[in-house]
Amino acid sequence: LPNPKIGVTALNTILPVFEVERNMFYRHRAARMYKEITLISAIAVAEIPFLMISSMIFCVCWYFMARFSLDAGSFFLYYLFIFLNNAAFAFVGQMLISLTKNQTAAQGFGAMFNGMSSLFSGVLLQPQSIPAFWKFAYWLFPGHYVLEGLLTSQYHNDNTPIEPTHGSPYWKFVEEQCGDQSGCTGTAEDFIFATFGGNFRFSHLWYDALYLLGLSLAARVISLWALIKLDYLAK
């Protein structure tokens, strides 16, 4: 599912833009033109409508092409998680620029953040297969929250029959449900449940949204702190 990757694009594209804004702010602050909270507030006022519109354009183009559910509730839940995904990654990118000296350093930390989010999102390593030592990464990084929201919002109560591939987690799930019956199939909802070891559930949806919202707010607060305490142009 490529949609969480647009958050990576949001993070990478925000770095050069915000570095210019940050360096300009250092000069304006030295001239006592305005304070840190003014910059953070102005960026939020400008960024949030842009993220809402760009997320909607993406959803309109991708959602119906992918033939997802035509239910309005499913569409707007999908849109919500695309928006929260873009916002979280964009604000984390601004946070990294605020904390580091330049775009090069921020890109290094951003690559680490993107890599960990992707690796522990539940696709490359399914939740039930992640070693106990690395479980913290599954819960800490935003990848699995985004993916869980996108998938469960679409396939909750979806009874489309899916034939299992022999040896897959879904095949084992269907075999347990059907016993010795031949030609037994499960549903799309069963496929999501079995593939991710029962860890992706529709009941988690609002916890996923709260996490992504909390990550965005935390990134904003840390950016504000960094702008107050750090000045990489000071001589």
Side-chain angles (χ1 to χ4, degrees):
L1 193 70
N3 301 327
K5 295 298 182 183
I6 65 173
V8 176
T9 303
L11 189 152
N12 290 332
T13 54
I14 201 70
L15 297 180
V17 176
F18 193 68
E19 183 182 23
V20 172
E21 294 174 348
R22 182 202 67 177
N23 293 342
M24 185 182 299
F25 166 73
Y26 287 154
R27 298 185 180 94
H28 289 172
R29 181 175 60 185
R32 300 181 182 277
M33 292 182 67
Y34 50 82
K35 294 184 177 181
E36 297 82 2
I37 189 65
T38 307
L39 176 65
I40 292 295
S41 301
I43 289 173
V45 169
E47 196 75 28
I48 290 175
F50 170 78
L51 290 169
M52 293 177 67
I53 294 171
S54 61
S55 298
M56 178 58 75
I57 292 172
F58 174 84
C59 284
V60 169
C61 294
W62 165 258
Y63 188 90
F64 300 104
M65 183 175 65
R67 300 182 68 179
F68 287 142
S69 172
L70 297 179
D71 177 69
S74 297
F75 173 81
F76 283 106
L77 280 174
Y78 194 88
Y79 167 68
L80 171 66
F81 278 94
I82 289 293
F83 167 72
L84 291 174
N85 174 54
N86 290 344
F89 276 82
F91 291 149
V92 166
Q94 294 175 2
M95 178 190 74
L96 293 175
I97 282 289
S98 300
L99 290 170
T100 57
K101 186 175 183 179
N102 52 42
Q103 180 184 340
T104 303
Q107 282 179 330
F109 287 107
M112 185 185 305
F113 180 83
N114 292 333
M116 294 292 282
S117 294
S118 298
L119 182 60
F120 294 101
S121 65
V123 176
L124 297 176
L125 286 173
Q126 293 167 340
Q128 64 272 26
S129 302
I130 297 175
F133 177 79
W134 290 103
K135 278 290 186 180
F136 78 92
Y138 173 77
W139 295 108
L140 179 62
F141 291 95
H144 106 258
Y145 297 96
V146 176
L147 192 64
E148 182 175 34
L150 293 174
L151 290 176
T152 58
S153 67
Q154 294 309 299
Y155 297 111
H156 177 61
N157 288 335
D158 187 337
N159 295 318
T160 303
I162 297 180
E163 293 186 8
T165 301
H166 185 81
S168 67
Y170 176 54
W171 175 80
K172 295 177 182 177
F173 173 83
V174 171
E175 189 178 52
E176 291 174 0
Q177 297 295 315
C178 298
D180 296 330
Q181 299 180 33
S182 60
C184 188
T185 61
T187 65
E189 185 178 29
D190 293 335
F191 177 80
I192 297 299
F193 181 85
T195 300
F196 297 99
N199 291 282
F200 280 21
R201 298 173 181 265
F202 185 78
S203 59
H204 298 167
L205 205 66
W206 299 115
Y207 297 108
D208 298 331
L210 285 174
Y211 169 87
L212 294 169
L213 180 60
L215 177 61
S216 298
L217 293 175
R220 296 278 77 198
V221 172
I222 294 172
S223 296
L224 177 61
W225 175 87
L227 289 173
I228 293 172
K229 297 296 182 180
L230 304 176
D231 186 347
Y232 290 110
L233 293 186
K235 297 182 180 180

